[in-house]
Amino acid sequence: MSEFVSSYIENKVLHIELNRVSKKNALTSDMYTALTKEFISAKSNSNIHVVLFKGAKDCFCAGNDIADFLQQPVLESGSPVLSFLKALYSFNKPIVAAVSGPAVGIGTTLLLHCDLVYATEQTYFSLPFIDLGLCPEAGSSYLLPRQIGYVRAAELLLLAEPFDAAKAKEWGIINDIIDADNYWQFAQEKAEILAKKPAQAMQMSRQLIRSNADMVGQAIEREARNFSELLKSDEAKAIFKKFLEK
C-alpha cells in the first residue's frame, strides 16, 4: 500500500483518498498499484456498496508524476497504470468523486468512469495530452465524445485548454458544483444514499447503463499502444526534457 493512498469503510462506502498534497496528488506507480488493489478488493467485498474517490481536501489530482512516469513502462501490458485502468473500467459498483483544485490528465479522465461527480468552483480541469506530445488515455477518446458530443470532445482534447467547473457542469462532465466547505460531506451523503439502495439492483442497473464496457476496454488498449509509441518519439522526449529542466 502506498503511503499516499488511504482508505476506510463507513456505512458501506469505501472512501479512497489521495494524500500526496506536496505534489498536488500527482500519481506514481506505487499509488497506481495501491489504487488497483483497492478497486479489485472492493469489487468482491459484499460490505462495500459504493466507492467515494477523493483527493486530499482542495487538491484532487495533478496527473502523473512526470519523473516517475518516464522511468516506467507506463501503458505497456501489466504496467501499474494499465492495471489500474482495467480495474477502473471493469468495476461493478457505483463510484462517486469529490473534486477540488487540479484535475489534470488522469485526474480528469478517471472521472469519466465515475457515476456521480461533484466539484467546487476552485476546480480546474485539463487534458494536456497533445501538448505533451501524447494522445488521450483511460478510454477518454471513446468515452468523452459519447458523453459530451464530438465537437466538445474535440475542443477539450485537441485544443487542450484548461476549463473550469462551470464549463464541466454545462457540458456534462460533472453533476454539480458544491461549496468548497461542504463538497466532501455532500459527496459522502450522495454515496451513502446509493449504498442504502438494493445492492443487486444497483449493480445490475449500473451494468446496463454502462453496457459498453467491452468497447471501453478496447479503447484503453488501443490508446495504450499509441500512447507508448508516442512517448518514445523525439517530439515527446523534447517536451518532457524541457519540462524536467524547469
Side-chain angles (χ1 to χ4, degrees), residues 77-189:
S77 180
S79 70
V81 179
L82 197 54
S83 295
F84 168 68
L85 294 180
K86 289 181 177 179
L88 186 63
Y89 88 77
S90 64
F91 194 63
N92 60 339
K93 301 173 185 179
I95 306 172
V96 180
V99 187
S100 190
V104 179
I106 186 68
T108 292
T109 57
L110 72 82
L111 300 177
L112 303 175
H113 298 268
C114 297
D115 303 285
L116 299 175
V117 181
Y118 303 102
T120 70
E121 288 186 353
Q122 290 74 26
T123 307
Y124 62 92
F125 303 86
S126 180
L127 296 165
F129 305 111
I130 285 180
D131 288 348
L132 293 171
L134 302 172
C135 66
E137 39 81 296
S140 57
S141 64
Y142 176 84
L143 289 168
L144 197 60
R146 284 155 182 79
Q147 184 163 325
I148 69 175
Y150 173 82
V151 172
R152 288 175 169 177
E155 179 177 325
L156 297 185
L157 289 170
L158 302 185
L159 285 177
E161 296 173 344
F163 56 102
D164 61 15
K167 188 169 188 173
K169 181 183 178 183
E170 179 187 353
W171 285 14
I173 295 174
I174 66 174
N175 293 81
D176 211 347
I177 300 171
I178 308 300
D179 184 87
D181 293 332
N182 302 315
Y183 81 105
W184 263 21
Q185 180 181 352
F186 186 91
Q188 179 176 331
E189 289 172 355

Side-chain angles (χ1 to χ4, degrees), residues 26-27 64-71 132 240 243-244:
L27 296 173
N64 290 298
D65 182 293
I66 297 300
D68 180 84
F69 182 77
L70 294 176
Q71 295 174 12
L132 293 171
F240 282 111
F243 181 89
L244 292 173

